[in-house]
Amino acid sequence: MADNLSDTLKKLKITAVDRTEDSLEGCLDCLLQALAQNNMETSEKIQGSGILQLFASLLIPQSSCTAKVANVIAEVAKNEFMRIPCVDAGLISPLVQLLNSKDQEVLLQTGRALGNICYDSHSLQAQLINMGVIPTLVKLLGIHCQNAALTEMCLVAFGNLAELESSKEQFASTNIAEELVKLFKKQIEHDKREMIFEVLAPLAENDAIKLQLVEAGLVECLLEIVQQKVDSDKEDDIAELKTASDLMVLLLLGDESMQKLFEGGKGNVFQRVLSWIPSNNHQLQLAGALAIANFARNDGNCIHMVDNGIVEKLMDLLDRHVEDGNVTVQHAALSALRNLAIPVVNKAKMLSAGVTEAVLKFLKSEMPPVQFKLLGTLRMLIDAQAEAAEQLGKNVKLVERLVEWCEAKDHAGVMGESNRLLSALIRHSKSKDVIKTIVQSGGIKHLVTMATSEHVIMQNEALVALALIAALELGTAEKDLENAKLVQILHRLLADERSAPEIKYNSMVLICALMGSESLYKEVQDLAFLDVVSKLRSHENKSVAQQASLTEQRLTVDS
């Protein structure tokens, strides 16, 4: 075997130069046979013989041996150690040229060779993209859709290339969406459809392609799959139902594709998705709730959905998942409610529908994603709703849980949202009772810490809440404000040149409000606030400069 192989390789070197097609074909057949028996050993011999360098000159459209040369390259490139030698031998460029061939066998072996050489190498795949293989392969898929092997080769190539961000723009400029949907409609076998799904998922991350897929009719195919598989308990069908409904939700992430499918809330797709929410299938409940959350990305859609009873459907769904419920469904339904609560006109409607009570049932959840969405939903609901903010702010169980979550160091999102909700309860209720509840539950120190957040919006919310505390219940909060070192923090915020104008403004408002407390006022005097404040009188922001003058007067008069 070894001697035969060595002879074949020597002979191949000679015939590669002479171009005697019959001898060449015989040598290539022997090589393919050897590779089939022991690929790795044969590949090592091929590499050692230096024959790879000659292959580039043999990859020519007019030769009858081209498919076999490409087949040999495809076989050796199955081995990782052979991929760089194939690149160094200059094989990529002639192989890419061969993708314009009319010969189906040449196309198949060329595709395999390129796929194996570039397998798992983003830099080589990017090189192929730059050489324009995407439009060529899309065209091939259209022409040779009857050839199963070629179709599969194209799909594998698309799957690999679509992972690269740089490919998306090129894909978007072809008719890939149309070709894939056409192919998808013809497939009956699960495995074949799965292959197409693997290409669709990464492509559908691109907004332009999302819209193309919607226009090509993919959504109708996905809805059909859901309908066919919903009652099946076969593993393949369950997997396909999940893939189809997940992809459906992904298509709704694009603004244009989402709006096209919403059709003013009267669209067939929107109605079908609505019917998933009361279903008994967890996957469909999840996809339905996520789809609603995606439809709820602009005020018009949100208002229409709330007016047409979506809130009751989502509350019913949540009710089914209170005790030992499905966490992903809880998270998705809360996401949808949070988005629906953003438009001002929806807040009162949702409050009177009992959304707060439905959401508070999940207060005992130990799952950070659910906690995060629960907090966001409540915060959206009480925005400018004084009565609801007061009611929630006097709920000791809620406030204690918020204070607990304000210390969730491992979950920055939950920690941030808890702080923001604490502040919102005070800002929107302006209620003494709410402030007392928060003081008694130990929430003051968290609001003071929030004033040092890296996010200006959170700093601001904290300072406004603290100013209300100082104006309405300074006596109750005095001790906690001292212990939390509020005065030192305010001095730091005013002295820091990087502090935003609104932070400086609200810090000075708060200083003035703190002067009603003897102990806090003493701290203000000890820290020489006058120096910092007088510098701000010439601040470029008019409001800051005016507030600095007022604060300076207060500090001077009171001293």
Side-chain angles (χ1 to χ4, degrees):
M1 156 84 188
D3 291 345
N4 284 353
L5 184 57
S6 302
D7 290 347
T8 301
L9 289 168
K10 280 178 196 160
K11 194 173 172 189
L12 188 56
K13 272 188 176 178
I14 298 161
T15 51
V17 178
D18 295 348
R19 296 288 164 90
T20 40
E21 299 261 323
D22 291 348
S23 314
L24 189 55
E25 196 161 348
C27 293
L28 291 167
D29 284 338
C30 290
L31 271 190
L32 286 167
Q33 210 175 343
L35 283 162
Q37 285 166 3
N38 189 333
N39 192 313
M40 190 184 277
E41 194 183 315
T42 307
S43 295
E44 283 169 350
K45 292 247 168 61
I46 289 173
Q47 189 189 0
S49 71
I51 198 85
L52 275 182
Q53 275 66 20
L54 296 175
F55 279 180
S57 63
L58 297 176
L59 291 167
I60 44 173
Q62 52 273 44
S63 162
S64 59
C65 298
T66 304
K68 285 184 178 170
V69 176
N71 192 354
V72 170
I73 297 168
E75 288 302 316
V76 300
K78 284 178 178 175
N79 302 290
E80 199 178 336
F81 68 89
M82 287 301 288
R83 289 171 195 157
I84 297 300
C86 285
V87 175
D88 293 343
L91 299 181
I92 286 186
S93 189
L95 283 167
V96 168
Q97 294 302 315
L98 284 177
L99 289 175
N100 296 305
S101 169
K102 301 270 186 294
D103 184 313
Q104 295 191 11
E105 185 59 21
V106 169
L107 288 170
L108 178 63
Q109 300 305 341
T110 301
R112 285 184 62 235
L114 283 170
N116 291 349
I117 293 171
C118 301
Y119 181 75
D120 236 11
S121 163
H122 281 174
S123 61
L124 288 176
Q125 287 168 359
Q127 195 179 322
L128 290 184
I129 292 167
N130 291 337
M131 292 170 85
V133 301
I134 288 174
T136 310
L137 287 170
V138 174
K139 209 183 301 172
L140 288 183
L141 182 65
I143 298 168
H144 302 290
C145 55
Q146 302 306 322
N147 181 323
L150 255 181
T151 299
E152 196 168 313
M153 181 274 286
C154 288
L155 290 173
V156 171
F158 294 150
N160 290 327
L161 297 173
E163 296 295 336
L164 271 74
E165 210 38 58
S166 59
S167 73
K168 306 279 168 66
E169 217 167 290
Q170 276 206 30
F171 274 120
S173 65
T174 68
N175 63 336
I176 181 83
E178 208 180 306
E179 292 296 352
L180 288 175
V181 173
K182 205 162 41 177
L183 191 62
F184 193 84
K185 283 176 179 170
K186 285 193 288 196
Q187 300 306 328
I188 305 152
E189 292 168 52
H190 169 78
D191 292 351
K192 294 282 192 307
R193 288 212 290 225
E194 197 175 1
M195 276 192 87
I196 303 172
F197 272 138
E198 279 169 15
V199 180
L200 287 169
L203 285 180
E205 284 166 14
N206 175 280
D207 280 0
I209 300 175
K210 279 186 183 77
L211 188 59
Q212 291 169 6
L213 289 168
V214 167
E215 287 171 343
L218 178 61
V219 174
E220 288 71 15
C221 300
L222 299 177
L223 289 172
E224 204 175 310
I225 287 176
V226 168
Q227 205 169 347
Q228 288 167 2
K229 312 291 180 186
V230 67
D231 298 319
S232 170
D233 48 11
K234 281 195 208 150
E235 215 171 297
D236 278 357
D237 289 348
I238 294 167
E240 199 165 351
L241 175 80
K242 179 176 172 10
T243 309
S245 53
D246 284 349
L247 186 51
M248 178 81 204
V249 172
L250 181 57
L251 291 175
L252 293 173
L253 277 172
D255 286 339
E256 279 188 83
S257 49
M258 177 272 287
Q259 212 49 44
K260 191 174 177 64
L261 294 171
F262 189 66
E263 290 182 72
K266 299 193 171 44
N268 171 43
V269 173
F270 174 65
Q271 296 302 329
R272 291 278 286 277
V273 164
L274 273 187
S275 72
W276 294 355
I277 294 173
S279 114
N280 290 319
N281 182 305
H282 280 188
Q283 174 57 34
L284 279 195
Q285 292 171 0
L286 170 65
L290 286 172
I292 297 302
N294 285 341
F295 280 126
R297 286 211 314 279
N298 65 51
D299 284 7
N301 292 5
C302 289
I303 293 164
H304 180 280
M305 287 192 278
V306 168
D307 286 346
N308 283 276
I310 189 66
V311 170
E312 289 71 15
K313 285 189 170 69
L314 289 166
M315 290 199 308
D316 288 347
L317 176 61
L318 276 175
D319 246 4
R320 295 163 71 183
H321 288 276
V322 176
E323 298 303 325
D324 309 317
N326 181 305
V327 173
T328 50
V329 174
Q330 292 171 359
H331 178 260
L334 288 167
S335 297
L337 287 171
R338 181 200 172 279
N339 289 1
L340 290 166
I342 293 172
V344 179
V345 294
N346 281 358
K347 295 179 197 296
K349 292 172 187 171
M350 291 176 72
L351 287 165
S352 62
V355 172
T356 316
E357 294 75 11
V359 169
L360 285 173
K361 289 176 187 169
F362 295 91
L363 206 51
K364 54 184 185 287
S365 171
E366 293 303 330
M367 305 306 290
V370 174
Q371 295 166 354
F372 181 72
K373 288 297 176 188
L374 173 150
L375 292 163
T377 307
L378 291 177
R379 188 164 63 79
M380 286 303 155
L381 280 171
I382 62 164
D383 190 4
Q385 306 295 311
E387 199 183 318
E390 180 160 10
Q391 208 182 337
L392 280 177
K394 291 193 293 193
N395 179 330
V396 178
K397 268 191 182 154
L398 169 65
V399 174
E400 284 177 349
R401 195 71 159 131
L402 292 183
V403 170
E404 183 191 327
W405 286 340
C406 281
E407 291 169 7
K409 298 271 190 293
D410 296 342
H411 302 287
V414 172
M415 196 162 88
E417 275 293 345
S418 302
N419 277 301
R420 292 189 77 184
L421 184 52
L422 263 189
S423 154
L425 291 169
I426 295 168
R427 287 182 296 111
H428 298 303
S429 71
K430 299 182 176 58
S431 152
K432 290 184 170 209
D433 289 340
V434 170
I435 293 169
K436 283 177 188 163
T437 308
I438 289 172
V439 172
Q440 282 154 11
S441 304
I444 296 297
K445 63 181 181 197
H446 297 299
L447 290 170
V448 175
T449 307
M450 183 181 168
T452 64
S453 163
E454 57 187 339
H455 304 290
V456 174
I457 192 164
M458 284 176 69
Q459 279 186 293
N460 223 17
E461 288 171 358
L463 291 168
V464 172
L466 289 164
L468 283 164
I469 291 168
L472 297 170
E473 274 297 325
L474 187 52
T476 314
E478 184 178 53
K479 206 87 217 108
D480 287 356
L481 293 170
E482 263 182 74
N483 292 339
K485 306 266 187 291
L486 172 62
V487 174
Q488 289 88 322
I489 283 169
L490 292 173
H491 190 275
R492 210 163 61 231
L493 289 174
L494 287 171
D496 189 346
E497 286 175 10
R498 292 165 303 178
S499 293
E502 58 266 43
I503 301 303
K504 291 189 188 294
Y505 176 85
N506 283 323
S507 296
M508 289 187 283
V509 170
L510 184 47
I511 287 294
C512 294
L514 294 176
M515 287 186 193
S517 152
E518 211 174 301
S519 55
L520 289 167
Y521 178 49
K522 189 179 179 311
E523 286 187 24
V524 171
Q525 285 179 310
D526 292 348
L527 272 174
F529 265 81
L530 260 174
D531 303 348
V532 193
V533 171
S534 57
K535 281 181 191 159
L536 293 173
R537 279 199 343 231
S538 54
H539 197 278
E540 59 186 359
N541 182 297
K542 274 209 182 92
S543 302
V544 173
Q546 281 171 346
Q547 187 57 42
S549 297
L550 289 172
T551 309
E552 189 180 38
Q553 281 167 24
R554 284 291 306 274
L555 289 166
T556 315
V557 170
D558 288 9
S559 61

